[in-house]
mmCIF file of all heavy atoms in Angstrom:
data_model
loop_
_atom_site.group_PDB
_atom_site.id
_atom_site.type_symbol
_atom_site.label_atom_id
_atom_site.label_comp_id
_atom_site.label_asym_id
_atom_site.label_seq_id
_atom_site.Cartn_x
_atom_site.Cartn_y
_atom_site.Cartn_z
ATOM 1 N N THR A 17 -13.883 4.127 -6.160
ATOM 2 C CA THR A 17 -14.858 3.732 -7.168
ATOM 3 C C THR A 17 -15.031 2.210 -7.193
ATOM 4 O O THR A 17 -16.151 1.765 -7.417
ATOM 5 C CB THR A 17 -14.416 4.233 -8.554
ATOM 6 O OG1 THR A 17 -14.146 5.655 -8.485
ATOM 7 C CG2 THR A 17 -15.463 4.007 -9.573
ATOM 8 N N ALA A 18 -13.956 1.518 -7.037
ATOM 9 C CA ALA A 18 -14.034 0.000 -7.064
ATOM 10 C C ALA A 18 -14.880 -0.454 -5.870
ATOM 11 O O ALA A 18 -15.692 -1.407 -6.050
ATOM 12 C CB ALA A 18 -12.623 -0.578 -6.933
ATOM 13 N N VAL A 19 -14.737 0.103 -4.675
ATOM 14 C CA VAL A 19 -15.565 -0.280 -3.581
ATOM 15 C C VAL A 19 -17.054 0.029 -3.859
ATOM 16 O O VAL A 19 -17.943 -0.800 -3.578
ATOM 17 C CB VAL A 19 -15.080 0.458 -2.290
ATOM 18 C CG1 VAL A 19 -16.082 0.223 -1.138
ATOM 19 C CG2 VAL A 19 -13.743 -0.033 -1.890
ATOM 20 N N LEU A 20 -17.335 1.193 -4.378
ATOM 21 C CA LEU A 20 -18.706 1.531 -4.746
ATOM 22 C C LEU A 20 -19.261 0.617 -5.801
ATOM 23 O O LEU A 20 -20.452 0.135 -5.648
ATOM 24 C CB LEU A 20 -18.795 3.005 -5.219
ATOM 25 C CG LEU A 20 -18.429 4.061 -4.165
ATOM 26 C CD1 LEU A 20 -18.489 5.480 -4.803
ATOM 27 C CD2 LEU A 20 -19.344 4.001 -2.959
ATOM 28 N N LEU A 21 -18.504 0.318 -6.843
ATOM 29 C CA LEU A 21 -18.997 -0.625 -7.856
ATOM 30 C C LEU A 21 -19.191 -2.020 -7.267
ATOM 31 O O LEU A 21 -20.164 -2.714 -7.659
ATOM 32 C CB LEU A 21 -17.915 -0.670 -8.976
ATOM 33 C CG LEU A 21 -17.866 0.539 -9.957
ATOM 34 C CD1 LEU A 21 -16.740 0.355 -10.927
ATOM 35 C CD2 LEU A 21 -19.165 0.735 -10.671
ATOM 36 N N LEU A 22 -18.291 -2.428 -6.373
ATOM 37 C CA LEU A 22 -18.455 -3.756 -5.772
ATOM 38 C C LEU A 22 -19.752 -3.828 -4.932
ATOM 39 O O LEU A 22 -20.474 -4.827 -4.969
ATOM 40 C CB LEU A 22 -17.239 -4.076 -4.909
ATOM 41 C CG LEU A 22 -17.127 -5.483 -4.356
ATOM 42 C CD1 LEU A 22 -17.095 -6.469 -5.474
ATOM 43 C CD2 LEU A 22 -15.911 -5.624 -3.477
ATOM 44 N N LEU A 23 -20.005 -2.751 -4.159
ATOM 45 C CA LEU A 23 -21.231 -2.718 -3.383
ATOM 46 C C LEU A 23 -22.457 -2.759 -4.335
ATOM 47 O O LEU A 23 -23.447 -3.437 -4.046
ATOM 48 C CB LEU A 23 -21.264 -1.524 -2.501
ATOM 49 C CG LEU A 23 -20.196 -1.465 -1.356
ATOM 50 C CD1 LEU A 23 -20.274 -0.131 -0.619
ATOM 51 C CD2 LEU A 23 -20.419 -2.623 -0.385
ATOM 52 N N PHE A 24 -22.412 -1.964 -5.380
ATOM 53 C CA PHE A 24 -23.500 -1.947 -6.329
ATOM 54 C C PHE A 24 -23.713 -3.307 -6.971
ATOM 55 O O PHE A 24 -24.861 -3.808 -7.087
ATOM 56 C CB PHE A 24 -23.225 -0.864 -7.372
ATOM 57 C CG PHE A 24 -24.258 -0.875 -8.492
ATOM 58 C CD1 PHE A 24 -25.526 -0.260 -8.273
ATOM 59 C CD2 PHE A 24 -23.991 -1.413 -9.750
ATOM 60 C CE1 PHE A 24 -26.485 -0.288 -9.265
ATOM 61 C CE2 PHE A 24 -24.923 -1.371 -10.734
ATOM 62 C CZ PHE A 24 -26.189 -0.811 -10.545
ATOM 63 N N ALA A 25 -22.599 -3.935 -7.460
ATOM 64 C CA ALA A 25 -22.746 -5.254 -8.048
ATOM 65 C C ALA A 25 -23.255 -6.293 -7.090
ATOM 66 O O ALA A 25 -24.113 -7.130 -7.432
ATOM 67 C CB ALA A 25 -21.330 -5.653 -8.608
ATOM 68 N N SER A 26 -22.805 -6.234 -5.833
ATOM 69 C CA SER A 26 -23.328 -7.191 -4.829
ATOM 70 C C SER A 26 -24.826 -6.993 -4.595
ATOM 71 O O SER A 26 -25.594 -7.938 -4.505
ATOM 72 C CB SER A 26 -22.530 -7.005 -3.513
ATOM 73 O OG SER A 26 -21.167 -7.222 -3.710
ATOM 74 N N GLY A 27 -25.233 -5.688 -4.534
ATOM 75 C CA GLY A 27 -26.650 -5.445 -4.383
ATOM 76 C C GLY A 27 -27.486 -5.939 -5.526
ATOM 77 O O GLY A 27 -28.576 -6.526 -5.373
ATOM 78 N N VAL A 28 -26.985 -5.740 -6.766
ATOM 79 C CA VAL A 28 -27.721 -6.239 -7.945
ATOM 80 C C VAL A 28 -27.789 -7.713 -7.922
ATOM 81 O O VAL A 28 -28.864 -8.326 -8.197
ATOM 82 C CB VAL A 28 -27.029 -5.745 -9.227
ATOM 83 C CG1 VAL A 28 -27.590 -6.429 -10.495
ATOM 84 C CG2 VAL A 28 -27.148 -4.253 -9.357
ATOM 85 N N TYR A 29 -26.666 -8.402 -7.604
ATOM 86 C CA TYR A 29 -26.689 -9.862 -7.549
ATOM 87 C C TYR A 29 -27.637 -10.406 -6.525
ATOM 88 O O TYR A 29 -28.457 -11.338 -6.814
ATOM 89 C CB TYR A 29 -25.257 -10.358 -7.242
ATOM 90 C CG TYR A 29 -25.182 -11.857 -7.016
ATOM 91 C CD1 TYR A 29 -25.251 -12.772 -8.073
ATOM 92 C CD2 TYR A 29 -25.054 -12.353 -5.746
ATOM 93 C CE1 TYR A 29 -25.190 -14.135 -7.856
ATOM 94 C CE2 TYR A 29 -25.048 -13.709 -5.518
ATOM 95 C CZ TYR A 29 -25.082 -14.597 -6.551
ATOM 96 O OH TYR A 29 -25.023 -15.927 -6.313
ATOM 97 N N PHE A 184 -17.518 -5.002 -14.223
ATOM 98 C CA PHE A 184 -16.715 -4.417 -13.170
ATOM 99 C C PHE A 184 -15.286 -4.169 -13.638
ATOM 100 O O PHE A 184 -14.710 -3.096 -13.387
ATOM 101 C CB PHE A 184 -16.736 -5.355 -11.988
ATOM 102 C CG PHE A 184 -15.897 -4.866 -10.784
ATOM 103 C CD1 PHE A 184 -16.426 -3.983 -9.920
ATOM 104 C CD2 PHE A 184 -14.591 -5.335 -10.615
ATOM 105 C CE1 PHE A 184 -15.663 -3.477 -8.843
ATOM 106 C CE2 PHE A 184 -13.838 -4.880 -9.522
ATOM 107 C CZ PHE A 184 -14.376 -3.993 -8.684
#
Side-chain angles (χ1 to χ4, degrees):
T17 307
V19 172
L20 295 178
L21 287 175
L22 188 60
L23 292 176
F24 175 76
S26 301
V28 170
Y29 172 76
F184 179 82

